[in-house]
């Protein structure tokens, strides 16, 4: 058991800090939860959630997405080799256009863009405060994770 | 300032309550132990002439090696020199402390993002990125 009068090692590491100014972990996490709650109530986030639900419930849009994904998947190897025929390329484009022009998909993409625009402004604010790019630092699982 | 008046010369989307919550989070993050440690480590690194020289030498050597690699003139002795320089950088205590402080700060930031993302049901950090590339 440690002697109560023995100075703690971590207290000796950085004596220049004013401990009252350090935000404890729980306080930071509380601020994070509070921020998430406020963000979830914004028009942009609410619109994004609604647009996502509408898209998921739109059977025509879901079927258009599946058809496009199936075609893309069947051509995966040829796409990597840049050896897709003109006919397949055209068919893929038609399926893609049909998918992205579904009204619920258009609304979802628009809502997502607005949420991204808002989030980027918040990301800039956080990055400036911490002196590090928030989005890049939070990247996990490889360079594009 | 009148909060109801909202001129938008630069299309600022952050309304008062969201701005307050974001600023509160930013301030708390900046004042958290991992980020205070990182700032201390950065200050020490910027004051440490030997560490600065090592980093500068390594950067110059890496640039030289890349150039020689492109022109096909890279020799075994160049690689030995590069490895020796990398070892010297890794052995420097100030640089090691800075790297370790950086790793702790990034780890903490990821935990904070996880907390936010769990509540939102979407990876918040991925929405904040301005470029899709690596």
């Amino acid at each position: 058991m440690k002697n109560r009068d023995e100075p703690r090692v971590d207290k000796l590491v950085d004596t220049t800090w004013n401990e009252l100014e350090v935000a404890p972990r729980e306080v930071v996490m509380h601020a994070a939860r509070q921020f998430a709650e406020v963000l979830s109530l914004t028009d942009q986030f609410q619109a994004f959630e609604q647009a996502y639900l509408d898209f998921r419930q739109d059977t025509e849009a879901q079927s258009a997405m599946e058809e496009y994904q199936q075609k893309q998947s069947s051509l995966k190897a040829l796409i990597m080799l840049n050896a897709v025929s003109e006919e397949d390329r055209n068919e893929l484009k038609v399926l893609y256009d049909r998918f992205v022009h579904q009204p619920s998909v258009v609304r979802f993409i628009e809502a997502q863009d607005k949420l991204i625009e808002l989030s980027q402004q918040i990301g800039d604010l956080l990055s400036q405060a911490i002196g590090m790019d928030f989005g890049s630092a939070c990247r996990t699982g490889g360079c594009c994770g | 300032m009148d909060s109801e008046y909202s001129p938008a010369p630069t299309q600022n989307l952050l309304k008062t309550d969201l701005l307050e919550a974001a600023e509160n989070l930013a301030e708390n993050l900046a004042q958290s132990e991992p980020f205070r440690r990182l700032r201390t480590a950065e200050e020490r690194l910027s004051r440490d002439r030997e560490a600065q020289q090592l980093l500068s030498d390594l950067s110059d050597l890496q640039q030289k090696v890349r150039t020689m690699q492109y022109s096909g003139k890279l020799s075994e002795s160049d690689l030995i020199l590069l490895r020796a320089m990398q070892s010297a950088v890794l052995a420097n205590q100030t640089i090691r402390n800075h790297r370790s402080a950086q790793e702790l700060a990034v780890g903490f930031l990821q935990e904070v993002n996880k907390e936010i993302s769990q509540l939102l049901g979407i990876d918040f950090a991925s929405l904040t990125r301005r470029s899709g590339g690596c």
Side-chain angles (χ1 to χ4, degrees), chain B residues 18-69:
Chain B
L18 183 60
L19 184 62
E20 274 176 13
E23 282 179 343
N24 183 42
L25 173 60
E27 199 175 310
N28 277 300
L29 269 173
Q31 294 304 319
S32 66
E33 192 175 325
F35 279 94
R36 299 278 306 237
R37 280 194 189 282
L38 178 59
R39 279 206 299 280
T40 304
E42 279 168 351
E43 281 162 18
R44 286 181 183 157
L45 181 61
S46 69
R47 286 199 307 264
D48 188 327
R49 285 186 182 181
E50 191 191 329
Q52 288 297 323
Q53 191 61 53
L54 278 169
L55 289 171
S56 170
D57 289 349
L58 178 62
S59 173
D60 290 347
L61 191 59
Q62 280 174 326
Q63 178 62 39
K64 201 176 147 191
V65 165
R66 272 195 293 269
T67 309
M68 288 193 292
Q69 204 168 16

Side-chain angles (χ1 to χ4, degrees), chain A residues 13-14 17 21-23 25 27 33 36 45 48 118-122 124 135 137-140 143-144, chain B residues 11-14 26 28 31-32 36-38 40 44 106 109-111 115 119-120 122 125 128-130 134:
Chain A
V13 175
D14 280 303
W17 288 5
E21 288 176 6
V22 176
R25 180 193 160 81
V27 173
R33 285 191 291 274
F45 191 84
F48 169 76
L118 177 70
S119 301
Q120 284 175 338
Q121 286 193 8
I122 298 164
D124 291 346
C138 291
R139 221 187 271 274
T140 52
C143 89
C144 294
Chain B
Q11 185 71 31
N12 192 344
L13 301 168
L14 303 182
N28 277 300
Q31 294 304 319
S32 66
R36 299 278 306 237
R37 280 194 189 282
L38 178 59
T40 304
R44 286 181 183 157
V106 166
L109 208 55
Q110 288 175 347
E111 281 183 57
E115 191 82 9
L119 285 162
L120 294 177
I122 187 169
T128 68
R129 286 176 206 136
R130 288 202 179 269
C134 294

Side-chain angles (χ1 to χ4, degrees), chain B residues 67-78:
Chain B
T67 309
M68 288 193 292
Q69 204 168 16
Y70 288 136
S71 59
K73 291 177 185 167
L74 189 64
S75 67
E76 186 63 28
S77 62
D78 293 322

Side-chain angles (χ1 to χ4, degrees), chain A residues 25 29 137, chain B residues 34 101-113:
Chain A
R25 180 193 160 81
M29 289 303 180
Chain B
Q102 221 168 14
E103 281 168 18
L104 283 174
V106 166
F108 183 58
L109 208 55
Q110 288 175 347
E111 281 183 57
V112 170
N113 181 53

Side-chain angles (χ1 to χ4, degrees), chain A residues 15-130:
Chain A
T15 50
T16 54
W17 288 5
N18 177 353
E19 290 200 8
L20 290 173
E21 288 176 6
V22 176
R25 180 193 160 81
E26 308 81 64
V27 173
V28 182
M29 289 303 180
H30 177 72
R33 285 191 291 274
Q34 229 170 15
F35 161 74
E37 197 184 328
V38 175
L39 179 60
S40 74
L41 296 173
T42 59
D43 293 345
Q44 290 90 334
F45 191 84
Q46 299 269 319
F48 169 76
E49 264 198 324
Q50 188 56 54
Y52 179 70
L53 285 175
D54 291 347
F55 162 60
R56 296 297 296 174
Q57 284 166 4
D58 183 341
T59 48
E60 206 178 322
Q62 292 299 312
S63 136
M65 181 178 73
E66 279 161 25
E67 276 182 61
Y68 168 66
Q69 284 177 336
Q70 274 169 14
K71 183 71 188 173
Q72 193 187 36
S73 178
S74 72
L75 297 174
K76 199 176 173 185
L78 292 172
I79 290 171
M80 284 172 75
L81 294 168
N82 199 20
V84 184
S85 70
E86 192 66 27
E87 193 187 344
D88 279 335
R89 200 185 301 275
N90 286 339
E91 195 186 336
L92 195 62
K93 191 181 178 319
V94 167
L95 291 174
Y96 176 77
D97 287 343
R98 191 168 92 81
F99 166 52
V100 294
H101 287 106
Q102 294 290 321
S104 68
V105 176
V106 172
R107 283 195 298 274
F108 174 71
I109 293 170
E110 277 173 8
Q112 184 176 247
D113 286 347
K114 283 179 185 166
L115 180 62
I116 286 174
E117 196 184 350
L118 177 70
S119 301
Q120 284 175 338
Q121 286 193 8
I122 298 164
D124 291 346
L125 189 151
L126 295 174
S127 302
Q128 206 172 358
I130 59 176

